[in-house]
Amino acid sequence: MSLLPRTVYVVGCDSCGATYWLAQCAAPHTEAVALRDMFKTLKSERLLFANPARGVSLGSRPSSVPMPLSPETIQRLTAAAETNPALKLLIALVGIHALYPHQARALPLTAIDFTRGRLMLGDVDHPLDAFTQQAAVDYIHLRHQRWPHTRNPHVFISSQTAHTRAPVTTGWMQPLLRGLPVTAQQLREDRILEEAAVTGADPQHLCAVFNITPETGLRYTRFFHPDPTDSDDVSGCNMETS
């Protein structure tokens, strides 16, 4: 099986001498997977003596372009956050300050400096906006009510971690977003896209503000300057550490 650049596949079957063409391929990786599965099915149905695509490496899947959250999704998040202090603070940390989900889960209490009005974690040193500050106050108050004697140093705790010093896991975070049309990673992507929209989609600026690689910065700017060769079958592919 040979892959011609972006547009045409030529596949020859040694067992029957046939040649198959797949032309005008807009998403090479996706079509290659489909073609491989087709030959696998034909082989299983004994319509071919051998699978000509067996053992062929398809390479890596092309990265998708992040998409902003819809107004309807934002409205649902806002409504849900009003009755859930943990969700509200998670939205603030990931959706406003663009922390990675794993950073939010492991955020230490010392990272929120109410006296100076700062959020500080590694390379992150942001002023505490009013929404984040109030969300932090509400959740920490709830945290103290539920676990007044905990010595866990992290902001987010659960009934499982309150008596330890461990951070919460993804198993704690997933129920917070259950039933909502968004993931924590999509929250972060929406924040970065928002920054790109107001700064002229400058990848260097995104790299400096969010401490991301140049490749990742370009991935976000492709929403504003789309590449016609990009695959459009899937959006929101996880290209960063969660």
Side-chain angles (χ1 to χ4, degrees):
M1 181 176 183
S2 62
L3 297 182
L4 301 184
R6 295 189 182 276
T7 54
V8 181
Y9 292 135
V10 182
V11 180
C13 179
D14 294 334
S15 60
C16 62
T19 301
Y20 301 85
W21 294 78
L22 182 62
Q24 296 181 342
C25 171
H29 178 90
T30 302
E31 300 295 352
V33 171
L35 193 61
R36 181 195 61 185
D37 291 345
M38 178 189 73
F39 279 119
K40 182 178 179 180
T41 300
L42 291 174
K43 174 66 168 56
S44 67
E45 296 292 334
R46 298 184 178 180
L47 297 175
L48 289 176
F49 294 108
N51 180 356
R54 181 182 179 185
V56 173
S57 174
L58 302 177
S60 60
R61 184 185 183 91
S63 64
S64 60
V65 178
M67 300 294 291
L69 300 181
S70 68
E72 293 76 16
T73 296
I74 294 174
Q75 288 176 358
R76 288 184 61 180
L77 277 174
T78 302
E82 288 304 314
T83 59
N84 191 328
L87 176 61
K88 187 174 183 178
L89 182 54
L90 178 67
I91 291 173
L93 295 174
V94 178
I96 295 178
H97 296 276
L99 295 189
Y100 288 102
H102 76 272
Q103 289 178 315
R105 294 197 311 268
L107 188 72
L109 285 165
T110 54
I112 302 178
D113 188 337
F114 291 104
T115 302
R116 296 177 54 206
R118 311 289 299 182
L119 174 67
M120 297 177 293
L121 177 69
D123 294 326
V124 175
D125 186 356
H126 297 168
L128 274 181
D129 58 284
F131 181 89
T132 302
Q133 180 160 324
Q134 188 59 54
V137 168
D138 292 344
Y139 177 76
I140 291 175
H141 177 69
L142 176 65
R143 179 185 187 275
H144 181 69
Q145 283 185 320
R146 288 183 178 176
W147 301 285
H149 304 297
T150 182
R151 294 186 178 182
N152 192 301
H154 302 97
V155 173
F156 291 118
I157 59 176
S158 67
S159 56
Q160 286 73 38
T161 66
H163 306 293
T164 73
R165 299 183 66 83
V168 293
T169 65
T170 54
W172 171 88
M173 180 179 290
Q174 289 167 352
L176 285 180
L177 298 169
R178 186 172 296 152
L180 296 172
V182 68
T183 65
Q185 179 62 22
Q186 288 171 328
L187 273 174
R188 184 174 189 273
E189 290 179 345
D190 182 75
R191 171 65 186 94
I192 298 176
L193 285 171
E194 180 186 39
E195 183 73 17
V198 299
T199 57
D202 179 0
Q204 291 184 336
H205 174 79
L206 298 182
C207 292
V209 172
F210 299 108
N211 192 31
I212 57 180
T213 66
E215 180 182 4
T216 301
L218 288 171
R219 176 173 171 258
Y220 284 97
T221 61
R222 283 205 298 272
F223 173 78
F224 304 94
H225 309 291
D227 183 340
T229 65
D230 282 339
S231 170
D232 60 357
D233 60 328
V234 178
S235 63
C237 179
N238 236 348
M239 296 294 291
E240 304 172 72
T241 305
S242 63

